[in-house]
Amino acid sequence: MGSEWGLSAASGLVAPLLVDYLVKPIERRIRYLFRFHKIVQELHQNQQDLAAKETQVKDDVEEAKLQIRTQVIYDQVDEWPTKAENALKDVKVLDSEIEENKRCFCLCPNWCWRYQLSQEIENKTLEIADLVKKSEFKRVGHRAKLPSLDLVTSKDNVDLKSSGAAFNKIMEALKDDIVKKIGVWGMGGVGKTTLVRNVSGKVRGFDRVIMVTVSETVDIEKIQNKIADDLDLKFGKNTEGGKATELWSRLSNGKFLVIIDDLWKEWNDDGDLRKIGIPLVKDEKGCKIILTTRNYNVCQHMECEETIQLKVLEDGEAWTLFEMNAGIKKADSRVIGEAKKIAKECKGLPLAIVTLAKALKGKALDRWKDARKKLERSGLMEIPSIQTERERKMPTFLLRSVMSI
């Protein structure tokens, strides 16, 4: 019983091996001799398929370059047309041999030559079939990683504990798959824009970081044009809805970080994003959002999964920032005394600190004293947490106040 089972198992293993190593090779050799015309027909069918795919791939590459002028074509895509072109040239050479073989075979059959030629044709047919299969590229390239002028971080920045903690929170939130929208809020001049620009320069894992400024009046077309400019996307449509559809299609095809800076009013959450053409991230495709605002209610209304408040600087941090921008480390003690009083009048607001420090850099003691007196009299830094017209114009107004002394 056991021996019968063993013989049965052995025959079950041997039979497929006999087919693979004896029957199929013999069948293939016979085919080389007596199915020559069929082999040639298969070659030409694959030749046509490859030629069609070659045209399609070239068109896809040109379309990608047209839509995104800084498109970087993947190496395998870039190399494929050359391989296809070489394979098609090889077919033309084989065609000459095939015609010659047909003529000679009628007069004086040369079975050895036909066998070898059939073998070459079949190998070339398999090579072409493999090229056709490999032409199904999901994407032909990616956008070049180009720096955006909006996202260049300032060399004048100082590492501050207050903004450092906020920076780390944002970076961690961006790694969290649950978090789609991050809200950064705080009074005007506290450094929200600088913070998110620093994030944009350090963050990884996105195809592109896009930054748009909204401010008091929302201009959807302006925002759409800015995003398209960052993507090097040429709109085919002129209407707001048409542009939104094109942006949605492009942004749904990768992973992007969109920074919406200085959002004053409460948006209709995802509805306004849809009007612009910004799809929220889903299954690793789409956009994560960072918004900055002076009003905490904006973050709530936008349903931000992570909300981060950026507070004013502590006295020590404020002085460090002022001292660096004013360049007064080795200045006269009387200048430093006036500088400390001016820094205190800035109420911990980085924007005011940097603006005044740079305006007074290199000035004489009298100019420092006059600037300090003007600030003490004007009360320019007593700014409410909710934005005002005077706050929005604060940097220019402060600068004019100092420079008019």
Side-chain angles (χ1 to χ4, degrees):
M1 185 73 176
S3 61
E4 289 179 5
W5 180 86
L7 288 171
S8 177
S11 62
L13 291 171
V14 171
L17 292 174
L18 289 173
V19 171
D20 288 338
Y21 289 98
L22 291 177
V23 177
K24 285 185 178 180
I26 293 171
E27 183 183 279
R28 189 159 49 246
R29 284 171 170 77
I30 294 172
R31 184 170 181 269
Y32 288 159
L33 294 173
F34 299 104
R35 301 283 289 171
F36 179 75
H37 294 290
K38 178 67 173 174
I39 293 172
V40 171
Q41 188 179 10
E42 289 173 357
L43 172 68
H44 288 151
Q45 180 58 56
N46 278 271
Q47 177 191 25
Q48 290 176 13
D49 294 342
L50 182 61
K53 283 293 182 182
E54 182 188 27
T55 301
Q56 180 186 322
V57 171
K58 286 181 177 179
D59 288 345
D60 289 345
V61 170
E62 288 304 313
E63 179 66 20
K65 287 180 177 179
L66 182 65
Q67 287 292 320
I68 305 176
R69 294 189 296 277
T70 52
Q71 182 81 272
V72 176
I73 305 302
Y74 291 126
D75 288 343
Q76 61 267 34
V77 179
D78 201 31
E79 293 167 1
W80 188 91
T82 303
K83 292 179 180 178
E85 188 177 341
N86 290 336
L88 292 173
K89 286 179 180 178
D90 291 342
V91 172
K92 288 183 178 180
V93 173
L94 282 173
D95 276 338
S96 298
E97 290 189 49
I98 290 167
E99 291 303 315
E100 187 178 351
N101 182 272
K102 286 178 180 179
R103 286 195 301 270
C104 295
F105 200 81
C106 292
L107 300 172
C108 181
N110 186 334
W111 292 101
C112 184
W113 182 21
R114 173 150 291 194
Y115 178 89
Q116 290 175 344
L117 184 56
S118 295
Q119 195 173 33
E120 283 184 51
I121 294 170
E122 186 173 75
N123 289 338
K124 186 55 63 177
T125 302
L126 292 172
E127 179 189 330
I128 291 173
D130 185 56
L131 279 171
V132 171
K133 186 179 178 180
K134 289 178 178 178
S135 70
E136 300 297 332
F137 302 109
K138 290 183 179 179
R139 290 180 63 187
V140 298
H142 63 88
R143 191 190 188 286
K145 298 295 187 293
L146 298 176
S148 168
L149 293 177
D150 286 340
L151 306 179
V152 176
T153 56
S154 172
K155 294 180 181 178
D156 295 329
N157 290 334
V158 176
D159 290 329
L160 304 171
K161 290 182 181 178
S162 53
S163 59
F167 175 89
N168 291 334
K169 284 183 181 179
I170 294 172
M171 296 299 277
E172 285 302 314
L174 288 172
K175 296 175 185 176
D176 191 337
D177 292 336
I178 297 174
V179 176
K180 297 180 180 180
K181 289 171 283 187
I182 302 167
V184 180
W185 71 282
M187 63 188 298
V190 81
K192 301 183 294 295
T193 300
T194 300
L195 173 63
V196 294
R197 281 181 176 170
N198 288 339
V199 168
S200 71
K202 298 288 179 65
V203 73
R204 298 291 180 269
F206 294 93
D207 296 334
R208 179 70 172 161
V209 180
I210 300 163
M211 186 166 179
V212 293
T213 303
V214 179
S215 296
E216 191 171 5
T217 304
V218 179
D219 187 335
I220 290 180
E221 186 177 9
K222 184 178 178 181
I223 295 170
Q224 289 175 327
N225 290 339
K226 176 62 170 63
I227 295 173
D229 188 53
D230 279 1
L231 293 171
D232 274 343
L233 174 67
K234 284 185 175 181
F235 283 127
K237 306 290 183 181
N238 294 322
T239 64
E240 184 182 292
K243 290 180 178 181
T245 300
E246 290 185 54
L247 283 177
W248 188 281
S249 176
R250 176 70 182 93
L251 293 171
S252 298
N253 237 341
K255 189 175 180 181
F256 300 89
L257 174 61
V258 178
I259 299 173
I260 303 172
D261 188 35
D262 199 20
L263 185 58
W264 283 43
K265 298 176 182 178
E266 297 171 356
W267 277 10
N268 182 23
D269 192 23
D270 297 350
D272 282 308
L273 292 176
R274 201 173 292 113
K275 283 181 185 176
I276 295 169
I278 301 175
L280 287 176
V281 66
K282 183 179 180 181
D283 298 328
E284 294 295 310
K285 298 288 185 181
C287 305
K288 284 204 172 194
I289 307 292
I290 299 178
L291 66 91
T292 74
T293 180
R294 309 179 192 192
N295 193 343
Y296 175 66
N297 292 333
V298 172
C299 299
Q300 284 187 312
H301 194 79
M302 288 288 288
E303 298 181 355
C304 295
E305 291 86 358
E306 185 72 38
T307 303
I308 300 162
Q309 182 184 10
L310 195 58
K311 299 179 180 179
V312 296
L313 302 180
E314 295 178 0
D315 290 345
E317 290 181 319
W319 171 245
T320 299
L321 184 62
F322 191 99
E323 184 183 45
M324 185 201 72
N325 281 279
I328 53 174
K329 279 192 175 182
K330 297 180 180 180
D332 184 282
S333 59
R334 291 171 297 175
V335 170
I336 292 176
E338 293 295 333
K340 286 184 176 180
K341 292 174 183 176
I342 292 172
K344 195 171 184 66
E345 288 296 321
C346 292
K347 307 298 184 187
L349 293 173
L351 183 58
I353 290 168
V354 172
T355 301
L356 287 168
K358 288 185 174 181
L360 289 164
K361 186 176 182 179
K363 298 294 188 291
L365 177 60
D366 289 344
R367 298 290 293 275
W368 282 89
K369 286 181 178 180
D370 290 340
R372 186 255 305 163
K373 289 174 184 177
K374 279 198 171 187
L375 285 172
E376 289 175 345
R377 285 198 307 269
S378 64
L380 289 174
M381 305 314 300
E382 294 177 6
I383 303 168
S385 59
I386 303 301
Q387 59 275 6
T388 65
E389 183 68 16
R390 185 174 66 178
E391 178 189 354
R392 186 154 56 96
K393 295 178 179 179
M394 182 184 65
T396 304
F397 190 56
L398 280 175
L399 188 58
R400 283 177 182 170
S401 299
V402 174
M403 296 310 291
S404 64
I405 297 169

